[in-house]
Amino acid sequence: MLAQTPPMGWNSWNTFGWEISQDLIKETADIWQEVGLKDAGYEYLVIDDCWAEKKRDKNGRLVPDPHKFPDGMKAVADYVHSKGLKFGMYSCAGTMTCGGYPSSLEHEFEDAKTFAEWGVDFLKYDYCYKPHNIPGHILYKRMSMALRNCGREILFSACNWGNDNAHEWMRASGAHMYRSTGDIQDNWESIKRLALSQWNKECYSGPYCYNDIDMLVVGMHGKGNVALGGCNDEEYKTHFSLWCMMNSPLMIGCDIRNMSDKTREILTNKEVIALNQDPEGRQSYSMEQWNNPDVKIYIKPMSDGTYGIGFFNMGDAPGEGSLQFWDMGLPSSSGYGFLLRDLWDHEDIGVFAENYTCKLEPHHCKILRAKLVKVNV
Ligand code: GLA
């Protein structure tokens, strides 16, 4: 089964937009392992929109742009596979892709076959130019059926931006992940808006169909297609931690050929990624700091009996987060407390009974792993 845990990879859109080519894809594949992405669990290399010719060929098949991909898509897929990675592509459920290229409406089965022949392992499926009279769930089911019958295992990544209450029906349409938000931008306001828009939707995301809060902007620093302002490294840390705590797929959006050490450190933090990749895929539940609604607390039960705990200061003033273990169902009279480990500092910070409190600068977070231990009361 695909997508037992949230899919991880890289997508061309956030930085490169329509400026994609086989050289870019090959260079990205070449450096993947060296910069530690493979080891951290990233596996899907995905080409987004703007890869095709504006017209299908005389047999109705999609054709890659010969200037961008002169050797064709099979050659690109083979190259990506030769690096031990999986290869992803993009199409759309409407009459055209968002960028105005041919899309798969009424071509679902032949396109799925073409993707299978090229060696595609992942399909992102967008929602632009959707006919008004066909419900979205029919369009996603149709492509899902086509992919299930194309002779190759292809992960289906739906992208309808959460329209039409997608969270209620996407799992039943057969998608392995589904975009629940509009497009991310490389700035703090966008990260905050997207994350908070998913408040109380925890139950709609889990193994085999994860809620995709959009591709990461970590490390873009104001450069590229969706770069509108940029963020500082602490904000990128908070962004990455939110996506991990909320079980979002982790699709990198920066130029991995030119990452700073800090970007690399964020994207490959194995202790934080482990929260996202827990095999049980259980969602975090969330609560608000009682005296400061800007401070959000997420708690994620892990399969080994520990918990991921995230404190997030979404506001613009310094704040404090305080978690009463009572709110996790653990009264101090139980004689138990938690051994806490800081997953960004990579160190145990001690045993706490009853509660844990931390100070948080604006837009900062604290991410902990908590292990139940006996304490003296
Ligand atoms: C939509 C999607 C983006 C990207 C573009 C491509 O806006 O939400 O993620 O795929 O289309 O045109």
Side-chain angles (χ1 to χ4, degrees), residues 132-146:
H132 287 289
N133 60 348
I134 311 181
H137 71 94
I138 300 289
L139 297 174
Y140 281 98
K141 272 181 196 148
R142 206 143 82 182
M143 187 42 119
S144 177
M145 235 188 310

